[in-house]
């Protein structure tokens, strides 16, 4: 695991009371129990694919009574402490590296000191296709919470090889020209095969129009 450095913010020490889900814990401190949301990562929801596995793994990593240190970076809308959780290693980073959570890019500015290691951990997890990345098209929890996860299924089209580009097997997308952008089509997060003439898959991870 890539070594990291965290900012010199006031650190909270405590013991694990319980694990709520794949990115939420409750700890006992000298001032009472507090709920901590792991910063800058987002694990699948409990009723989402991979959610139970993420919660089970976090429970195994952080058993009840284990001592932890939390570097707070924010408070969320529910009043929870948002922070970086450390035992002998950075737990936020470990979950991403094991393919149990995404880097939460919408809030990565809260974690500037570990942004690069988090992104590198996710890159490694994707390359190894571990955890959620073993799925062909995993849906991020922020999309799941908005009911924006769409399971693509192939659409039979007559003479598909002539009218539909084979780089996009789950939808009928016409070949270039003209060149299309993500804003020109309604589909999101679909499989892309090379050579990808429309360049929907800019980062070449096999998924087009991810945002």
């Amino acid at each position: 695991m890539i070594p990291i450095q965290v900012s010199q913010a006031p650190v909270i020490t405590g013991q694990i009371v319980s694990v709520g889900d794949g990115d939420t814990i409750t700890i006992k401190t000298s001032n009472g129990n507090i709920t901590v949301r792991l910063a800058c990562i987002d694990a699948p929801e409990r009723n989402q694919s991979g959610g139970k596995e993420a919660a089970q793994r976090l429970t195994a990593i952080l058993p009840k009574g284990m001592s932890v240190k939390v570097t707070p970076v924010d408070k969320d809308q529910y009043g929870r402490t948002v922070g970086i959780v450390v035992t002998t290693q950075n737990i936020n980073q470990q979950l991403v590296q094991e393919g149990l959570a995404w880097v939460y890019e919408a809030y990565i500015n809260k974690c500037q000191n570990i942004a690069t290691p988090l992104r590198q951990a996710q890159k490694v997890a994707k390359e190894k296709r571990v955890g959620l990345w073993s799925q062909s098209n995993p849906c991020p929890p922020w999309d799941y919470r908005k009911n924006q996860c769409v399971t693509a299924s192939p659409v039979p089209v007559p003479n598909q090889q002539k009218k539909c580009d084979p780089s996009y097997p789950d939808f009928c997308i016409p070949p270039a020209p003209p060149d299309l952008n993500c804003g020109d089509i309604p589909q999101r997060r679909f499989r892309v095969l090379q050579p990808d003439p429309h360049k929907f898959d800019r980062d070449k991870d096999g998924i087009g129009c991810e945002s």
Side-chain angles (χ1 to χ4, degrees):
M1 181 172 291
I2 301 170
I4 63 158
Q5 304 246 348
V6 297
S7 62
Q8 298 300 314
V11 174
I12 300 170
T13 59
Q15 292 75 44
I16 296 293
V17 174
S18 62
V19 170
D21 54 28
D23 52 30
T24 308
I25 61 175
T26 298
I27 66 173
K28 180 181 180 181
T29 74
S30 58
N31 295 319
N33 291 359
I34 64 169
T35 299
V36 178
R37 170 68 164 81
L38 275 67
C40 302
I41 70 170
D42 204 2
E45 298 295 324
R46 272 194 172 271
N47 55 349
Q48 183 183 0
S49 176
K52 291 181 180 179
E53 291 80 0
Q56 289 170 353
R57 178 58 176 152
L58 188 57
T59 300
I61 295 172
L62 300 177
K64 185 175 181 180
M66 187 175 194
S67 295
V68 297
K69 295 181 178 180
V70 179
T71 300
V73 301
D74 202 1
K75 285 274 189 179
D76 70 8
Q77 59 183 325
Y78 306 109
R80 300 177 300 187
T81 297
V82 180
I84 301 165
V85 179
V86 177
T87 54
T88 57
Q89 56 192 347
N90 182 287
I91 303 303
N92 305 49
Q93 182 180 338
Q94 182 177 352
L95 291 174
V96 172
Q97 187 161 308
E98 293 185 13
L100 297 169
W102 277 260
V103 176
Y104 208 166
E105 290 289 347
Y107 297 97
I108 198 67
N109 64 315
K110 303 289 185 180
C111 303
Q112 288 297 324
N113 289 337
I114 63 167
T116 297
L118 282 177
R119 288 170 174 147
Q120 179 62 25
Q122 179 165 284
K123 180 176 182 290
V124 170
K126 291 172 74 172
E127 290 173 349
K128 293 183 176 180
R129 301 188 69 82
V130 298
L132 61 93
W133 302 110
S134 64
Q135 304 172 45
S136 61
N137 188 18
C139 181
W142 52 86
D143 285 344
Y144 181 84
R145 290 189 288 267
K146 297 176 182 177
N147 295 315
Q148 292 182 351
C149 294
V150 177
T151 302
S153 58
V155 179
V157 179
N159 299 320
Q160 183 170 349
Q161 70 275 17
K162 296 181 180 179
K163 296 182 179 180
C164 308
D165 195 293
S167 290
Y168 318 109
D170 293 335
F171 298 100
C172 184
I173 297 177
D179 184 35
L180 299 176
N181 298 313
C182 289
D184 299 322
I185 61 173
Q187 292 87 359
R188 292 293 180 270
R189 300 192 56 77
F190 51 88
R191 284 192 300 154
V192 174
L193 308 177
Q194 293 304 316
D196 184 21
H198 292 298
K199 301 296 183 288
F200 292 136
D201 182 17
R202 294 289 182 181
D203 57 4
K204 299 187 185 304
D205 65 351
I207 302 174
C209 299
E210 294 180 76
S211 60

